[in-house]
Amino acid sequence: MPPAMQAPFLFDFSRVESGVLITQFIMKLFWALMFAAFYFGYLSQGQGDNSTLSARPRVVNIGCILTLRSDVGKITKSVIETAVEDINSNPTVLGGTKLNITILDNNSNGLQGIVEAIHYMETDIVAIIGPQSSVIAHAIAHIANEIHVPLLSFSATDPALSSLQYPFFVRTSPNDMFQMAAIASIVEYYNWKAVIAIYVDDDYGRSGIDALADQLAMRRCQISYKAPLKPQATLEEVRDTLYQLVLTESRIIVVHTYAYSGLDIFSEAKSLGMTESGYVWIATHWLSTIIDTIGPHSPDVMDNIQGTITLRTYVPDSEGKRKFVSRWSDLAKRIDTNSTLGMCTYGLYAYDTVWLLARALDAFFKQGGNISFSRDPIHRAGGLNLYSMNVFDGGKLLLENILKTNISGVTGLFKYTSDRELYRPAFEVINVIGTGTKKIGYWSNYSGLSVVRPDSLYSYPPTHLPSNQKLYPVFWTGETIQTPRGAAFPIFGRQLRVGVSIEAVLNEYVKQVPGTDMFQGYCIEVFTTAIKYLPYYVPYKFFPFREENNTELVRQVTEGVYDAAVGLIGIHSNRIKLVDFTPPIMYSTLVLVAPYRERGFGTWAFLRPFTPTMWCVTGILFLTLGAAIWILEHRVNDDFRGPIRKQIETIIWFGFLTFLSASKEKIVTTLGRLVLMTWLLVILIINSNYIANLSSIVVAQHPSSIIKGIESLVARNEPIGFVRGTGSSARTYLIEKLHVQESKLIPCKMEDCAKALRDGPNKKGGIAAVIGYSIYMELFLSTHCEFVTVGPEINRTGWGFKLGSFKGSETCGC
């Protein structure tokens, strides 16, 4: 028999000499059959059960959808191919398995992107990298969900691409939600309150601006005007949109669009004068991407974007990043031998995306994952089977490994949080200056704004971060370093109409310059100073109001005759129901002013330092001291003994004598000496006060009035004056609270009060006293020294400016 036909077990029965050899032959045959049965059973079980450890495939197919006509698409295509080559050249990454990537071009067309994704259904791919556009990612993510293929996009940053709706979508770059939080922090840092949003009207633009609105609201700011643009807007449409923005108040403009239309916006804004001083332009990362990839622009382009603030995804410096960037000059030649494209952050994230997928595949195989697919037919009406999808059986396991894999890539630490966002996203805040850019700070969701690199702050607890929450000085639009106010008065907005109450006030507070429409005084200065502190210019015009009652002025503000009112206007409950008031600029109380007479230094003037009550209390203290000392001393001290008359005299005179000089009686008991020592301290205090009051009486004038207060004035039933125009509250208080007869109340002008007080209550038109607010009475008394305030303060009132309802485009001025 030829050797090729020999059986694996040979035995020559003719040579068997004993039964032992036959037994050995049977045992060997038995074990050989058992081994074969177990071996083939194991293979059949491995083919039917994916959970069992299996051999790695030689090739793993990966899909990639890019927009190859864009600069970012060209860069990322070269980067992705380089990453695949690096992985395939290193057998330790996937244990000998090779990655085979198929790159398709969607030409920025959503329909074509969907068609290409459907094409992937018929192939055995385990993951898709891309697409670049968030709009296309929305459509393809639905397909990825159906075929259980992870969709890893390094540039689809739309916050609406949620893992809840699209579980197989994995974003491998920072979410736009964090970029909008950085912009909101900048707005808050400069104390701006409202911004204008220019955005492309698609899923990417709308979702980004919605995220910005949410972040601004958290900081008590808002988007005051939204200006959507069509994805393919013409220059005329861009100009019409910008012209509408000129008519608004806000001058903070956030541009969230694509690179090809972003520069057109700035070019048209330049022609409309919207890049002059006072405007602030903030661009999302599309502008920094253009600057990084295309390199130096023409002088006209750079002039259009001067002073603009933009953001760039922060990539910490590392050895891996430096090595990869140094390779870029050679890699760029794959695109074009004369290519001048620079590396951008999208390219770095695309490189790490491929490595993330490779590491996840390695973990997938180590867990026993198999590359196998199932057919899932799609049926149409009538049961016609058009095509079938290849559903990746191990898609969920691969997705879990992608989200759990941590790598140190060219972008730094690359891992996901529990909500499937990249760990600690951060951005650089960049200012366009001259022919280049200047880094003015950083933002991260851990430390906020800071001039310190975010990765150097991660070692601090969130509640103990260094006080570096600021930015470097900015070179603003219009070639100025002064921070813009952020708003301006709209072109077609009318002036603020401000009523000025001038009839019922003194000239020191507000007056009209004779022969002009100008006003002066303390109230005018407060108003104009407050206007200067507003973040925008507000034109206004004063109108004199000459009615005596300020309640009428309040009513006219309510009716829209005036937009606001300035003057000394009392804040009362009935007025608060009609209009809004500013916080009180001062407080005033009702006081009573009456004539006085000078008290001379007469014979009994030495008694005036103390009141009668004080004299009585002092006398009682003298007698109490004498009685206390007598009780303690008369049993053991002969000076406090003797006839009853003598002891009474000693009790009476002992306290009085200690006030003037030392007493002749000696104190022998310890308790008596302690009482006397305490009494001497009391005498020292009484004596000091007496001397001080007596000196004041001798040196200073002390006016006095027969009217001691409002109660004594009402009791005298004499005429009471109140200042006309400013005394309406005083009149109401006297009638309603003190029940003064209205016939006893005499209105008088401020300049006539002095004559009425001099005439007195006995003459016609005369008054016993006048009641008014202290701010008026103090000025009145400064020029009329023969009168004085009497009694306690009566009522306290706040004074402020009135604000009305503003219509159209006018702005509150107070």
Side-chain angles (χ1 to χ4, degrees), residues 91-304:
T92 62
V93 179
L94 286 172
T97 299
K98 304 293 184 179
L99 295 180
N100 178 38
I101 189 163
T102 304
I103 299 178
L104 297 179
D105 183 13
N106 60 17
N107 292 318
S108 299
N109 189 302
L111 178 61
Q112 187 170 348
I114 296 174
V115 171
E116 291 166 359
I118 294 174
H119 168 73
Y120 281 137
M121 294 180 185
E122 303 172 354
T123 62
D124 296 339
I125 62 169
V126 299
I128 302 174
I129 297 176
Q132 290 175 227
S133 170
S134 296
V135 177
I136 300 176
H138 273 277
I140 299 180
H142 286 288
I143 300 176
N145 290 345
E146 295 297 327
I147 62 177
H148 293 182
V149 171
L151 180 66
L152 295 85
S153 178
F154 52 84
S155 59
T157 55
D158 180 4
L161 287 167
S162 168
S163 60
L164 298 177
Q165 184 178 6
Y166 308 107
F168 280 87
F169 174 79
V170 180
R171 185 185 289 107
T172 58
S173 61
N175 192 329
D176 268 351
M177 175 183 63
F178 300 109
Q179 180 180 207
M180 297 308 172
I183 294 176
S185 295
I186 295 173
V187 173
E188 180 187 29
Y189 175 75
Y190 289 109
N191 295 319
W192 299 321
K193 298 302 180 183
V195 303
I196 295 172
I198 303 177
Y199 60 98
V200 59
D201 193 13
D202 59 12
D203 292 335
Y204 165 73
R206 289 190 297 268
S207 299
I209 294 305
D210 289 343
L212 176 61
D214 294 339
Q215 293 295 328
L216 289 172
M218 294 170 59
R219 295 161 175 81
R220 297 186 178 182
C221 304
Q222 63 175 344
I223 298 177
S224 60
Y225 188 87
K226 292 183 178 180
L229 290 172
K230 294 191 300 185
Q232 303 293 338
T234 64
L235 292 179
E236 184 179 355
E237 291 171 338
V238 172
R239 175 180 285 269
D240 292 341
T241 299
L242 292 177
Y243 184 74
Q244 296 297 323
L245 305 185
V246 178
L247 309 180
T248 61
E249 296 179 4
S250 179
R251 291 294 182 263
I252 313 300
I253 303 175
V254 178
V255 182
H256 182 55
T257 181
Y258 299 114
Y260 59 81
S261 60
L263 294 179
D264 291 339
I265 294 174
F266 278 92
S267 176
E268 293 300 316
K270 179 73 173 180
S271 65
L272 292 176
M274 298 178 66
T275 57
E276 302 298 329
S277 178
Y279 282 89
V280 175
W281 289 85
I282 302 175
T284 51
H285 53 52
W286 65 265
L287 181 56
S288 64
T289 301
I290 291 179
I291 295 174
D292 293 339
T293 55
I294 301 179
H297 292 268
S298 65
D300 292 339
V301 172
M302 295 305 297
D303 187 52
N304 293 339

